[in-house]
Amino acid sequence: MAETSTAIKSPNYTDEMVKTAISMYQDLGNEGLDTIAEAVGKNVRSVRSKLVREGIYVASENPATRKIDGPT
C-alpha cells in the first residue's frame, strides 16, 4: 500500500515575492522578466509561470509569417 505523506509543503513564493513580481511586471512588462527573476531569486521560467497562475502575464505576440507560394 502507498504511504500518505503528512508533511506540509512550504510555499515557493512568499506573499512579498509575489507582490514584488506583480508590481515589477506591471512596470516592466515581458521585457523585464530577467530583472524580475533576479530580484525575487527565481529563474525566468518560474516567474513567468507564477505570473500566469496569478492571471497577470500576457504572452507576447509572435510576428505573423507570410505564406510563400512556390516550390519548396
Side-chain angles (χ1 to χ4, degrees), residues 11-34:
N12 292 334
Y13 284 82
T14 63
D15 290 337
E16 186 63 33
M17 291 168 76
V18 173
K19 289 177 187 175
T20 301
I22 290 172
S23 67
M24 288 180 75
Y25 181 75
Q26 290 171 341
D27 292 337
L28 303 173
N30 290 347
E31 290 75 31
L33 286 176
D34 291 331

Side-chain angles (χ1 to χ4, degrees), residues 1-69:
M1 296 231 160
E3 294 181 26
T4 56
S5 176
T6 58
I8 298 173
K9 282 187 161 183
S10 63
N12 292 334
Y13 284 82
T14 63
D15 290 337
E16 186 63 33
M17 291 168 76
V18 173
K19 289 177 187 175
T20 301
I22 290 172
S23 67
M24 288 180 75
Y25 181 75
Q26 290 171 341
D27 292 337
L28 303 173
N30 290 347
E31 290 75 31
L33 286 176
D34 291 331
T35 307
I36 297 167
E38 194 172 304
V40 296
K42 300 286 184 175
N43 62 35
V44 173
R45 193 171 183 177
S46 176
V47 171
R48 185 182 302 117
S49 295
K50 185 62 177 178
L51 292 170
V52 167
R53 284 191 300 271
E54 295 294 320
I56 305 297
Y57 182 78
V58 178
S60 300
E61 284 197 27
N62 294 332
T65 59
R66 294 185 308 162
K67 181 178 178 184
I68 300 174
D69 292 329

